[in-house]
Amino acid sequence: MLWLACAAQFMVVLDVSVVNVALPAIQDALGFDGVGLQWVVGGYALVFAGFLLPGGRLADLYGRRRVFLWGLALLAASSLAGGVATTPGLLIAMRAVQGLGAAVLAPATLTILTTTFAEGPYRTRALATWTAVSSAGGAAGNLIGGVLTDTLTWRSILLINVPIGAAVLLAAARLLPADRARGEAGKLDLPGAVLATLGVGALVHGVTQAGTHGWHAPTTVIGLAVGAAALAAFAAVEVRYATAPLLPRWRCPPRTARTSGTPRAS
């Protein structure tokens, strides 16, 4: 179970950076312009960041096993379609779908660990291993992308997800226990999900534009402003209106009454 979750998380983090080294080869093969090429990387990151919070809620509503399989299948299928893409638009679209699959898959891997391992040293070791694998995936992305591009082709950096995803899918279908039946159907906080996705996505877009055009560019300022406004609206909806909030409401613990005359602890 531990290595199953870690293998899926490695795929998620690897796909963030694995295309970086292959960008010149992708540009030559598909005829990207300079602006469109950045969306091969940004499309994945933008959708992944925007849908991560709603993706985590799906595992609570529909079960960790079902959502894990959905996210992994979507990630593998979009990798296959992106690997055989012949136009810039199709590749960017499939990178965005990859980000959506990753946003569904990543929280499910963490849910599997926290429900499989009881609180204590075993869970601590499992989470430490998961974190180490995530870090390794991010660091290995450029190396693996460069090796695959030089020895095979840029398409292999996407197609490699297909056999790995198929193997993890087969293992998950055998190892993950069936989801428990729920007494009443859960409910997704749609206004909160839309605002969270818009807010995080706009912030990521603004930061991405800042790296290319500078912090004072209109696209950067608009992205950051829309993101901040959407996240402020998200906070208001979660606190005041949501019946099933994406984030549980935080409450201060009750104060313990202090006996008169008792000295205050320093």
Side-chain angles (χ1 to χ4, degrees), residues 85-228:
T86 57
T87 62
L90 179 58
L91 179 58
I92 292 174
M94 290 304 101
R95 285 288 290 169
V97 177
Q98 274 188 309
L100 179 60
V104 173
L105 180 60
T109 65
L110 194 57
T111 302
I112 288 172
L113 295 185
T114 55
T115 55
T116 300
F117 297 93
E119 188 173 358
Y122 288 109
R123 179 184 292 181
T124 301
R125 292 174 191 169
L127 293 177
T129 304
W130 182 86
T131 303
V133 169
S134 299
S135 301
N142 290 329
L143 175 61
I144 294 176
V147 170
L148 290 176
T149 303
D150 287 340
T151 57
L152 298 174
T153 172
W154 68 266
R155 298 182 184 277
S156 62
I157 64 176
L158 299 176
L159 295 176
I160 193 65
N161 281 338
V162 178
I164 297 175
V168 177
L169 270 173
L170 291 175
R174 293 177 59 88
L175 295 176
L176 290 180
D179 297 317
R180 295 180 180 179
R182 297 181 179 270
E184 63 182 67
K187 183 180 179 182
L188 179 64
D189 175 24
L190 287 178
V194 171
L195 288 171
T197 301
L198 176 62
V200 176
L203 285 180
V204 173
H205 176 67
V207 173
T208 302
Q209 292 299 305
T212 305
H213 304 291
W215 290 101
H216 300 290
T219 54
T220 302
V221 175
I222 292 173
L224 296 178
V226 171

Side-chain angles (χ1 to χ4, degrees), residues 1-87:
M1 296 288 282
L2 172 61
W3 291 111
L4 181 68
C6 288
Q9 182 65 13
F10 185 83
M11 290 177 60
V12 168
V13 180
L14 182 72
D15 281 338
V16 176
S17 59
V18 73
V19 299
N20 289 342
V21 178
L23 289 178
I26 294 174
Q27 185 175 23
D28 293 339
L30 299 184
F32 272 96
D33 57 23
V35 176
L37 190 63
Q38 69 177 339
W39 286 105
V40 177
V41 178
Y44 181 97
L46 189 66
V47 176
F48 175 64
F51 283 90
L52 194 58
L53 189 57
R57 179 63 175 152
L58 292 179
D60 296 331
L61 296 179
Y62 301 107
R64 53 178 183 164
R65 183 180 189 272
R66 186 178 293 110
V67 171
F68 183 92
L69 295 176
W70 286 352
L72 187 57
L74 186 60
L75 181 60
S78 57
S79 297
L80 175 60
V84 299
T86 57
T87 62

